[in-house]
Amino acid sequence: MSAIGPEIERLIQLLAKLPGLGPRSARRAALDLLKKREVLMEPLALALTDAARAIKTCEICGNLDTASPCALCCDPRREGRVLCVVEDVADLWALERAGVFKGRYHVLGGALSALDGITPERLNVGSLIDRAKQGVEEIILAMNATVEGQTTAHYLLDALAETGVKVTRLAHGVPVGGELDYLDEGTLSAAFKARRSL
Amino acid sequence: MEWHDDAIVLSVRQHGESGTILEALTRTHGRHMGLVRGGRKMKPVLQPGNSIRLQWRARLQEHLGNFACELDTARAGALMESREALAGLNAFTSVASATLPERGPLYEPVFVASTILLDAMLEDGLAHWGAIYVRWEAGLLEALGFGLDLSSCAATGETEDLVYVSPKSGRAVSAAAGAPYAGRLFPLPQFLLGSQNEVGADDIAAGLALTGHFLFERVLRPTGKPMPSARLRLDSLAGHQDGESK
């Protein structure tokens, strides 16, 4: 007979599916939740239920928010003529944390990958082209500096050519705080190619 | 079980949170897969097109095994800068991945030719490395046992004036013997016969059509695989350049 009841076992199994948690850490998290039932477990359960019910994918940009269109798309202070294209919502959040971009976003939903069967039809490319035709002056391709990310960027460049919109992309090179000695050759090569006058 | 080898990264796939399944074309162990632990930190190294030094370890030969890798030549960063080089790199990795059997040890010439091809992609555009790519695919067909026979005419045995290739036999056909069937034969780009003449965009497009046909008909179709989309994109890029040059 198991010392752990089926409800707790199920909780552990579900927690173990979260990123960063394995079976042992899930067991610890479950035990902690059970010990703090009123201050943590019940509010968490309520928050999860509310989030599952209320959060939607924005019909314009693909961001996650409680409303569609999302707060970013509705914000009149944001520059509507500049679009920043990102692969995933996590990338959008990273750019928002940095606070460097005050335009609007477009979440593609991934990057082209022959291996994983991600074709242009599975990405939000059609809606990007439609948005590009609606008074957009610049599209910034903020794709990952990977072969897949840059293949997607080149594909989008071709797809957006008909719209006549200016297309730019993020620079590749030395990260802030990076020491040249520790950088890989690919990054150094990209940094050298993108050098600029001071 | 343990071995060390030179390799080229073909693809990587996330495995769990920090692991990566690496698919590599090795010098003496063919196309080989293995698990790289802590693969996230290795992401700059594990980009397709990079040359690496591999150590493979497993308890039994048939196990997936663990890879430890060290960067040898970084190419991905430079290849990403050019649309043509990126199209070539994607075509190379997807064709190698789709056609070479896993753990086939007899492909050292393919590995050497792959290194030459990738280095050429770093140098210049499709006009420069397009012919090398076509030769690489012709060599791949040969390594797989489906090589083209361009030594003499399939109909007359002539060794001069070979300008066509039969889509059925993969053998060369002379201008005189092939004239009545010209529309049904593939044009034979002369650089495949060792000609030193300048290679034009039309030669590259013809070469890609030729090797693409045989790769699909003889290697991919019998195993139920489609032509990789990245290879089709390279075709369209070469066709576009050919159209511009006319």
Side-chain angles (χ1 to χ4, degrees):
Chain A
M1 195 175 141
S2 170
I4 300 175
E7 292 83 5
I8 301 175
E9 195 63 65
R10 185 160 176 266
L11 177 64
I12 293 169
Q13 281 174 5
L14 289 172
L15 286 171
K17 289 182 180 176
L18 295 174
L21 294 185
R24 288 175 74 91
S25 42
R27 205 171 294 134
R28 279 208 307 277
L31 194 57
D32 200 48
L33 284 170
L34 290 165
K35 282 179 184 167
K36 298 171 186 166
R37 202 171 301 193
E38 276 151 32
V39 291
L40 189 59
M41 194 176 195
E42 283 168 8
L44 177 67
L46 202 62
L48 285 171
T49 311
D50 286 350
R53 196 180 303 127
I55 291 174
K56 304 175 180 113
T57 301
C58 174
E59 66 204 58
I60 297 175
C61 71
N63 185 20
L64 294 174
D65 202 349
T66 47
S68 178
C70 68
L72 295 177
C73 288
C74 295
D75 188 346
R77 292 166 300 173
R78 298 192 82 99
E79 177 60 79
R81 287 172 298 176
V82 186
L83 272 187
C84 179
V85 182
V86 292
E87 288 180 22
D88 199 69
V89 175
D91 301 331
L92 185 156
W93 290 351
L95 288 169
E96 279 301 292
R97 277 200 306 274
V100 288
F101 179 65
K102 296 294 171 201
R104 297 197 198 278
Y105 291 95
H106 190 88
V107 181
L108 273 185
L112 294 176
S113 168
L115 194 70
D116 298 325
I118 302 177
T119 56
E121 294 74 37
R122 291 185 57 184
L123 302 177
N124 296 326
V125 177
S127 55
L128 173 65
I129 294 169
D130 291 343
R131 290 182 78 187
K133 290 174 182 166
Q134 293 164 10
V136 171
E137 289 175 4
E138 182 182 356
I139 292 180
I140 304 165
L141 301 178
M143 320 307 294
N144 290 334
T146 59
V147 168
E148 286 174 354
Q150 294 310 301
T151 302
T152 311
H154 285 291
Y155 174 82
L156 291 178
L157 191 62
D158 289 345
L160 290 165
E162 60 173 279
T163 64
V165 176
K166 177 184 172 189
V167 182
T168 57
R169 58 152 222 201
L170 298 188
H172 301 158
V174 183
V176 174
E179 294 173 36
L180 297 190
D181 191 23
Y182 286 91
L183 289 185
D184 65 285
E185 288 88 333
T187 306
L188 280 173
S189 157
F192 254 87
K193 281 195 172 165
R195 69 186 185 276
R196 61 182 183 197
S197 328
L198 292 172
Chain B
M1 310 296 302
E2 182 178 339
W3 49 253
H4 295 254
D5 207 347
D6 296 321
I8 296 167
V9 178
L10 291 181
S11 70
V12 282
R13 182 178 288 174
Q14 193 72 23
H15 180 75
E17 278 182 53
S18 61
T20 299
I21 303 283
L22 166 66
E23 180 190 26
L25 176 62
T26 65
R27 184 185 289 276
T28 55
H29 294 84
R31 186 171 67 85
H32 208 291
M33 296 205 192
L35 176 70
V36 182
R37 293 193 188 279
R40 218 174 174 80
K41 284 182 199 157
M42 295 289 290
K43 240 179 169 177
V45 173
L46 301 180
Q47 287 296 311
N50 282 349
S51 282
I52 52 176
R53 282 288 302 159
L54 272 185
Q55 180 195 38
W56 180 78
R57 270 186 183 175
R59 195 168 61 79
L60 295 173
Q61 180 70 34
E62 56 268 32
H63 284 178
L64 174 67
N66 290 307
F67 276 144
C69 12
E70 194 181 328
L71 185 65
D72 182 11
T73 310
R75 298 190 190 89
L79 293 174
M80 276 182 222
E81 297 296 312
S82 150
R83 173 206 310 254
E84 290 178 2
L86 199 52
L89 171 65
N90 284 327
F92 157 74
T93 53
S94 57
V95 167
S97 184
T99 56
L100 286 168
E102 204 180 336
R103 303 192 180 193
L106 305 171
Y107 301 113
E108 185 163 0
V110 176
F111 175 83
V112 174
S114 303
T115 309
I116 294 168
L117 171 65
L118 291 169
D119 287 340
M121 284 179 187
L122 291 173
E123 298 295 319
D124 215 335
L126 180 59
H128 168 71
W129 54 259
I132 303 174
Y133 183 89
V134 174
R135 283 198 201 103
W136 176 79
E137 283 196 343
L140 181 66
L141 280 167
E142 195 168 332
L144 293 167
F146 301 108
L148 305 175
D149 180 1
L150 307 178
S151 58
S152 63
C153 174
T156 63
E158 274 182 67
T159 54
E160 298 295 316
D161 207 18
L162 302 172
V163 295
Y164 301 111
V165 176
S166 161
K168 284 192 178 168
S169 67
R171 292 190 62 189
V173 179
S174 68
Y181 316 100
R184 284 186 275 164
L185 299 172
F186 281 107
L188 171 57
Q190 294 301 296
F191 66 80
L192 281 178
L193 297 173
S195 164
Q196 298 299 310
N197 293 343
E198 196 175 328
V199 178
D202 55 338
D203 292 319
I204 294 168
L208 286 172
L210 176 68
T211 52
H213 168 80
F214 287 103
L215 276 175
F216 180 65
E217 291 296 333
R218 294 186 170 179
V219 185
L220 297 171
R221 195 165 30 190
T223 51
K225 292 177 187 169
M227 183 61 109
S229 55
R231 175 61 169 78
L232 297 173
R233 180 162 160 72
L234 183 64
D235 271 343
S236 81
L237 203 63
H240 185 67
Q241 290 203 347
D242 183 23
E244 276 183 351
S245 69
K246 282 175 182 167

